[in-house]
């Protein structure tokens, strides 16, 4: 059988065929190309279902290929067979993939509508439990805590993982009524707009505040991501680092400044636990960084996002 006949068209396109020797298919190496559309779809799906990059790829490929053995799927995706089996087992346990009774066993992707229903039900159950038990737990915590433990001195904490960092940014925006500077790379914006940050930015504006976004570039291809981020104003400037800065002087005492160290590492769900951020309520640090962002803003070039 020829290589051309064996090769399939995939959502994750393959390239890099160094040899057309049909007698030795193993000598042909493939490297993936992720189109902007695929990356966007993959990130959105990962965010909604809480899957990592490989799990999302497996599900999308199963939707494309239809029922297929785990072994054939691993070859299709050029992924280690043992790893594919582990991922399929995990996806099966949470209802995203089903296994047939046939021999050999086939992997079958769950219908997208059914997955959405499962995910919504799970989230609703989690929220219901929090509402039911939350108040009692808080009262118990208050009963064993001391008022003397509360302090107004400047503090900081390290936040680990992109999801925790994103959640903290969202909470900052929820309580802001003034100017917020959001300084990061364009690549980072293309990932963060999948979160609830755009909606929280609209909350800032309704409360009378505004979010000033400073990015390093604004290519025509990526401009839609910038628009969807919903910042009040956008400018292109020289960033002080490749990290991420979110700062406001009007947030509550719990925290006014967040600085991340690796805003451009990988995709939304690649090495997500490796990213960390410093979060502080220090007035002096906040004022210094806010002044720096204001200086960068004044020298930056405006981007028309209303067009």
């Amino acid at each position: 059988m020829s290589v051309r006949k064996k090769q399939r068209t995939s959502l994750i396109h393959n390239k890099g065929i160094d040899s057309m020797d049909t007698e030795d298919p193993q000598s042909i190496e493939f490297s993936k190309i992720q189109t902007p559309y695929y990356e966007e779809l993959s990130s959105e799906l990962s965010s909604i279902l809480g899957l990592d990059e490989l799990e999302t790829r497996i599900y999308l490929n199963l939707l494309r290929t239809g029922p297929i053995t785990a072994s054939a799927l691993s070859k299709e995706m050029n992924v280690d067979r043992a790893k594919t089996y582990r991922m399929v087992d995990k996806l099966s346990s949470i209802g995203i993939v089903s296994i047939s009774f046939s021999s050999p066993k086939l992997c079958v992707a769950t219908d997208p509508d059914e997955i959405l229903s499962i995910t919504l039900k799970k989230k609703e159950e989690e929220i219901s439990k929090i509402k039911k038990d939350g108040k009692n737990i808080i009262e118990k915590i208050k009963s064993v805590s001391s008022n003397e433990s509360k302090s107004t001195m400047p503090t900081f904490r390290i936040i680990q993982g992109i999801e925790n960092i994103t959640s903290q940014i969202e909470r900052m925006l929820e309580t802001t009524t003034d100017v917020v500077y959001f300084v990061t790379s364009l690549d980072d914006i293309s990932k963060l707009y999948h979160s609830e940050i755009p909606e929280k930015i609209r909350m800032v504006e309704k409360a009378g505040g505004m979010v000033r976004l400073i990015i390093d570039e604004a290519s025509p291809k990526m401009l839609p991501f910038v628009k969807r981020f919903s910042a009040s104003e956008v400018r292109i400037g020289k960033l002080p680092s490749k990290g991420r800065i979110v700062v406001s002087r009007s947030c509550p005492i719990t925290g006014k400044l967040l600085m991340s160290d690796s805003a451009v590492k990988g995709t939304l769900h690649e090495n997500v636990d490796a990213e960390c951020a410093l979060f502080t309520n220090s007035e002096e640090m906040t004022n210094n960084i806010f002044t720096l962002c204001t200086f960068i803003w004044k020298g930056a070039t405006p981007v028309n996002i209303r067009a």
Side-chain angles (χ1 to χ4, degrees), residues 16 45 52 67 90 145-146 151 163 185 212 248 277:
L45 187 62
D52 63 25
K90 179 181 177 181
S145 64
S146 170
S151 173
E163 290 186 1
S185 66
R212 292 175 173 174
S248 174

Side-chain angles (χ1 to χ4, degrees), residues 49-51 55 89-97 115 118 122:
L49 303 183
L51 304 178
E55 291 164 351
D89 286 342
K90 179 181 177 181
L91 293 174
S92 176
S93 68
I94 58 178
I96 292 177
V97 172
I115 287 182
I118 293 173
K122 182 179 178 181

